[in-house]
């Protein structure tokens, strides 16, 4: 299991835009550098990228929920 | 002396205490959002308090040093690492040539201030090295730092030595955060019930908050005293005939989300301002993370001036302890 943590405080999004599907769903393969979500802060959207490869286990924080820096956003297995 | 930026972080800028005197021309004062933290970081490395250092918001930069440099980090709580070894905040320590300074995840607060003995030595613009990115003015080529930038540092003073601040000298912060407000110019535009509601509500820092303005949401929409909008003002009741804004003034576009104008704010416009955050509480705003609960507390001019004096006295105690 690997945790993907938020680099910044802000608002977490699972999707690139409201019309699109989530970046990842359970069972998807994840490569190093894959974007798994966005955190919005200071009028910017920061891409949250996987730092190790694995299989996506799921999001740990709901779409559009507030997050703090270091919060676990998603888990890999 | 120089250091090189390996990773810039989210938005890392050169800042000092700013460039007062040009706001009437539309050029903001700029400078550190948490001025006390910038001053103390400079004191810790033996610099004049207005020397230039770095302000990094939410994410610390990764820097490699080309020369032995005395460094101090103040402000937000963020693990500090020199070649992987932990260092303390609010104290000065040597980073040797070839070593790398980097940071862990932000714990509390929002902005760290990094001072370098000798101060950052980029060319001043209008009397300051503070970066105003929107105006491409000051700092490093008028912009935030980027990977590969080599930043010049001046010669250290003879007073550059390792020191540690006694943290009991720092102010204790109430939770939820309290920001003291002096009602001002357009306060009369709100109904009495709406005035009371503004102070009764719990607000939260909006994720949009930045160096220009700190936005708050979560309180009730404001109610305006009815009037016929004057000639030249927009049609929304929160509009006025254009006026000056001050550092710390609180504008509320549409009467919904208060915005406190901060170091890089515009100097005028057409929104009413209900008052101002007192000067003693402006540094605290620079350390508020998104979603932090905040209450606004009403004060009068006497209380505002007392708070200003207390803040000055506290800083003077710190200055003495580090001299």
């Amino acid at each position: 299991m690997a945790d993907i943590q938020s680099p910044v405080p802000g608002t977490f999004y699972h999707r690139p835009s409201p019309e699109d599907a989530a970046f990842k769903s359970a069972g998807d393969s994840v490569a190093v550098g894959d974007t798994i979500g966005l955190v919005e802060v200071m009028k910017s959207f920061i891409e949250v990228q996987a730092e190790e490869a694995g299989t996506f286990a799921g999001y740990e924080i709901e779409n559009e929920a507030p997050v703090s820096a270091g919060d676990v956003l998603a888990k890999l297995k | 002396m120089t250091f090189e930026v390996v990773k810039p972080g989210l938005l890392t800028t050169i800042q000092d205490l700013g460039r007062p005197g040009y706001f009437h021309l539309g050029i903001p004062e700029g400078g550190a959002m948490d001025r006390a933290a910038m001053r103390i970081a400079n004191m810790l490395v033996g610099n004049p308090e207005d020397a230039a250092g770095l302000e990094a918001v939410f994410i610390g930069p990764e820097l490699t040093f080309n020369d032995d440099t005395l460094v101090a980090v103040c402000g937000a709580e963020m693990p500090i690492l020199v070649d992987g070894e932990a260092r303390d905040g609010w104290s000065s320590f040597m980073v040797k040539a070839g070593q790398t300074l980097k940071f862990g995840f932000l714990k509390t607060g929002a902005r760290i201030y990094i001072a370098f003995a000798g101060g950052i030595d980029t060319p001043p613009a209008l009397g300051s090295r503070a970066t105003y990115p929107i105006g491409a003015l000051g700092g490093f080529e008028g912009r935030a730092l980027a990977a590969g930038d080599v930043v010049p540092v001046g010669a250290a003073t003879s007073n550059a030595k390792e020191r540690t601040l006694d943290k009991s000298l720092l102010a204790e912060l109430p939770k939820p955060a309290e920001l003291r407000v002096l009602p001002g110019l357009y306060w009369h535009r709100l109904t009495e019930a709406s005035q009371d509601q503004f102070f009764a509500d719990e607000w939260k820092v909006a994720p949009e908050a930045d160096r220009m303005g700190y936005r708050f949401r979560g309180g009730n929409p404001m109610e305006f005293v009815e009037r016929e909008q004057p000639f030249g003002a927009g049609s929304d009741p929160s509009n006025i005939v254009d006026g000056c804004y001050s550092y710390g003034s609180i504008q509320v576009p549409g009467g919904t989300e208060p915005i406190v104008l901060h170091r890089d704010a515009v100097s005028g416009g057409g929104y009413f301002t209900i008052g101002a955050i007192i000067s003693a509480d402006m540094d605290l705003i620079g350390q508020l993370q998104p979603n932090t609960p905040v209450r606004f507390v009403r004060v009068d001019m006497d209380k505002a001036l007392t708070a200003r004096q207390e803040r000055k006295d506290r800083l003077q105690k710190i200055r003495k302890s580090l001299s």
Side-chain angles (χ1 to χ4, degrees), chain B residues 26 38 40 80 82 118 122 136 138 192 204 223 229 235 284 298 309 311:
Chain B
M38 183 83 256
I40 296 167
I80 304 165
V82 175
T122 50
E192 227 176 278
K204 282 201 164 107
E223 287 165 14
Q229 286 292 94
S235 56
L284 165 60
R298 183 176 188 160
Q309 190 57 46
R311 187 174 168 282

Side-chain angles (χ1 to χ4, degrees), chain B residues 199-211:
Chain B
F199 291 118
D201 284 337
E202 185 172 284
W203 299 85
K204 282 201 164 107
V205 176
E208 295 93 326
D210 62 14
R211 287 185 48 85

Side-chain angles (χ1 to χ4, degrees), chain A residues 5-6 10-11 41-43 46 66, chain B residues 10 58-59 105 207 209-210 291:
Chain A
Q5 292 170 280
S6 181
T11 307
V41 74
M42 294 195 307
K43 301 169 192 156
I46 291 139
Chain B
L10 178 62
F58 305 140
I59 303 179
F105 284 116
D210 62 14
N291 307 309

Side-chain angles (χ1 to χ4, degrees), chain B residues 3 6 14 16 49 53 59 94 103 113 163 187 213 248 256 268 286 308:
Chain B
F3 63 83
V6 182
I14 296 172
D16 54 21
E49 290 170 35
I59 303 179
M94 281 301 293
F103 297 88
Y113 292 86
R163 296 173 169 85
W187 185 241
T256 55
R308 174 183 286 194

Side-chain angles (χ1 to χ4, degrees), chain A residues 58 61-62 75:
Chain A
I61 288 190
E62 281 183 38
K75 282 186 183 287

Side-chain angles (χ1 to χ4, degrees), chain A residues 1-4 24 27-36 49-57 74-77:
Chain A
M1 290 290 271
D3 292 342
I4 299 177
K24 295 286 176 188
D28 284 358
S29 67
V30 176
V32 174
D34 276 7
T35 299
I36 65 99
Q49 292 169 341
E51 288 178 0
E52 42 191 298
T55 303
F56 197 73
K75 282 186 183 287
L76 303 181
K77 58 184 175 192

